[in-house]
């Protein structure tokens, strides 16, 4: 089965969920088409029976009766068209609602590796733009293609009722238009595919530009960014113009031309024969020309929707490509038992890219109530250890256990249920402060929220805000200072009462006063919990039970602060650099700052 057939079959699967609504709409459509096509036949009857010399002249009551029937049919067609249009359009919206929810739900099941290599804007484009394009397919297909096909079928039935010889002549038109459509689809698909790709690239670039706007402006990259965006925009424009040329040539233009020529031929040949031999009545000729003219409107409607249909199939392919990615089901973990919190890494090796190990044979243990700190230069593997513990990635070798149980045997929700995490760059959601702490968890009461904020020292500044705990926070919390955002994220982690607390450089972006508040709070909240800390500011981990010094993915030193300082190794050098102290002459740390930095990097 090729991809196009597969995509069409899967789209049909979504539609079949509402098969009864669609069947009812199509039944109404058949009634509406029949009522509309009855008009020319009534006109033919009036002409042949009441307005020609061969008909019964002057029977105006019969004429008025037929006109009333004509008006009644138009009214019935109007009501049926409204009803079927509403049913089909609302069904299309329901189908896309289901598809969008499937896509959003599946994104939460996809491994993080996908997001490492995919710009956020492209993911947003799949959920927003591509599903909208698929919606256009359902709405245009059900509202135009199906309608047009039923209209064409009804028209040809009427033509055969009028005259089979004339109808057989007109049967040459559908194959001719089908060939033209095939040529149209072949040439326009290339341009539409490029247009959708460029739109996705533009969305990704816009998202990135907004996120890093301060960097762009600080480094005067506005012009370069604009030029890069213009390149994408121009490429999309050029391909869109090419697609419009194909559309203009093969849609209304060619259909209208063929329609006019066919109508002229019918009038010239068959009309002339009718006048010469009286083989056809004036009424039949009028009705036939009326029906013939109606053939081209559905054809034009189908041509008008070909672009939308192609765009939708391209978008559907992208949507289904995400839905086809392997993911793990989001399982319920309400009954997950609270672990004691003994974390153990046993000879763990891991690589984001095959052959480029970022962790090599990592082994350590963190017991309940202990604080284990990970230190090292950027790229040494600190965050990778946390990512593995949280189940964002799977180790290539080795085993990670909690209370002796391999975490690979746990669902991700069960694994993370009793974990709390605070990141270096805290993220606050749009909403009030209390919801940012509780994340709308019904088990976390307002009293628990207030207690968590108080424990981290945030209650003082929160209660001074105009609306206190109901103070609205814009997305990312840009109206608060970095220290205030960090305190709220600490309160969020503590409100969930984790047995394992992960601090990923959580004190790197706060001032000394706020750091003191957090340090005092951590001494309380870490009691009875396993706490793992990634730290750049070594002064914040002096009281840690165990400090692991990483270098190029390996643990090169381990011990508490005093033990590591006594070694006068890598940790000693890092600590001296940050404190600005000068040890005895001859010590590696007695060199200049630049010399010491170079020595550490070269180790």
């Amino acid at each position: 089965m090729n991809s196009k057939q597969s995509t069409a079959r899967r789209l049909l699967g979504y539609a079949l969920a509402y098969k009864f609504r669609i069947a009812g709409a199509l039944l109404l459509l058949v009634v509406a088409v029949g009522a509309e096509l009855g008009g020319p036949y009534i006109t033919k009857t009036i002409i042949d029976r009441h307005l020609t010399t061969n008909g019964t002249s002057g029977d105006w009551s019969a004429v008025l009766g037929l006109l009333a029937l004509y008006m009644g049919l138009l009214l019935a067609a109007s009501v049926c068209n409204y009803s079927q249009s509403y049913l089909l359009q609302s069904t299309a919206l329901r189908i896309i609602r289901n598809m969008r929810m499937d896509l959003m739900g599946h994104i939460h099941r996809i491994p993080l590796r996908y997001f490492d290599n995919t710009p956020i804007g492209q993911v947003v484009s799949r959920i927003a733009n591509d599903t909208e394009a698929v919606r256009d397919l359902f709405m245009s297909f059900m509202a135009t293609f199906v309608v047009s096909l039923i209209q064409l079928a009804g028209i040809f039935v009427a033509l055969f009722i009028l005259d089979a010889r004339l109808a057989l002549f007109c049967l040459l038109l559908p194959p001719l238009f089908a060939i033209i459509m095939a040529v149209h689809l072949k040439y326009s698909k290339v341009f539409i595919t490029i247009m959708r790709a460029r739109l996705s690239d533009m969305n990704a670039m816009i998202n990135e530009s907004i996120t890093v706007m301060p960097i762009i402006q600080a480094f005067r990259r506005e012009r370069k960014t604009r030029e890069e965006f213009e390149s994408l925009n121009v490429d999309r424009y050029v391909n869109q113009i090419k697609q419009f040329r194909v559309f203009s040539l093969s849609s209304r233009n060619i259909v209208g031309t063929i329609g006019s020529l066919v109508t002229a031929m019918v009038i010239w040949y068959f009309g002339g024969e009718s006048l010469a031999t009286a083989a056809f009545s004036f009424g039949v000729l009028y009705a036939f020309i009326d029906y013939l003219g109606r053939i081209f409107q559905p054809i034009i409607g189908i041509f008008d929707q070909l672009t939308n249909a192609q765009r939708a199939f391209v978008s559907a392919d992208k949507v289904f490509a995400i839905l086809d990615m392997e993911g793990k089901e989001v399982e319920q973990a309400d009954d997950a038992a609270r672990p004691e919190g003994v974390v153990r890494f046993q000879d763990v090796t891991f690589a984001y890219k095959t052959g480029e190990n970022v962790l090599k044979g990592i082994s350590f243990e963190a017991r309940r109530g202990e604080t284990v700190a990970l230190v090292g230069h950027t790229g040494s593997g600190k965050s990778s250890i946390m990512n593995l513990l949280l189940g964002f990635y799977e180790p290539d070798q080795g085993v990670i256990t909690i209370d002796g149980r391999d975490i690979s045997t746990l669902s991700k929700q069960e694994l993370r249920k009793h974990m709390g995490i605070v990141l270096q760059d805290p993220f606050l959601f749009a909403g009030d402060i209390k919801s940012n702490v509780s994340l709308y968890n019904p088990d976390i009461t307002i009293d628990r929220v207030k207690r968590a904020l108080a424990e981290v020292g945030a209650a003082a500044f929160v209660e001074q805000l105009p609306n206190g705990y109901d103070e609205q926070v814009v997305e990312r919390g840009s109206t608060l200072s970095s220290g205030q955002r960090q305190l709220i994220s600490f309160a969020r982690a503590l409100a969930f009462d984790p047995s394992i607390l992960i601090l990923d450089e959580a004190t790197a972006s706060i001032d000394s006063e706020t750091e003191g508040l957090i340090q005092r709070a951590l001494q309380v909240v870490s009691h009875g919990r396993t706490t793992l800390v990634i730290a750049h500011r070594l002064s914040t981990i002096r009281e840690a039970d165990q400090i692991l010094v990483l270098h190029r993915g390996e643990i090169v030193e381990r011990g508490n602060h005093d033990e590591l300082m006594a070694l006068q190794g890598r940790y000693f050098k890092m600590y001296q650099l940050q404190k600005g102290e000068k040890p005895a002459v001859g010590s590696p740390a007695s060199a200049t700052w630049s010399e010491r930095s170079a020595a550490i990097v070269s180790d």
Side-chain angles (χ1 to χ4, degrees), residues 428-429 431-439 449 453 461-463 465 467-473 480 488 492:
L428 298 187
F429 299 90
D432 56 31
I433 288 179
K434 67 177 186 295
S435 65
N436 264 285
V437 175
S438 68
L439 296 183
V449 169
L453 288 167
F461 88 81
V462 171
E463 291 173 354
L465 296 173
N467 298 310
Y469 298 96
D470 295 319
E471 181 74 13
Q472 292 295 310
V473 179
L480 301 174
I488 292 174
R492 176 193 297 162

Side-chain angles (χ1 to χ4, degrees), residues 219-234:
F219 286 90
R220 306 180 305 283
R221 296 281 298 175
E222 296 94 339
R223 177 179 296 179
K224 183 63 176 178
T225 301
R226 188 169 59 250
E227 290 174 354
E228 292 174 358
F229 184 82
E230 183 179 10
S231 176
L232 296 174
N233 197 22
V234 168

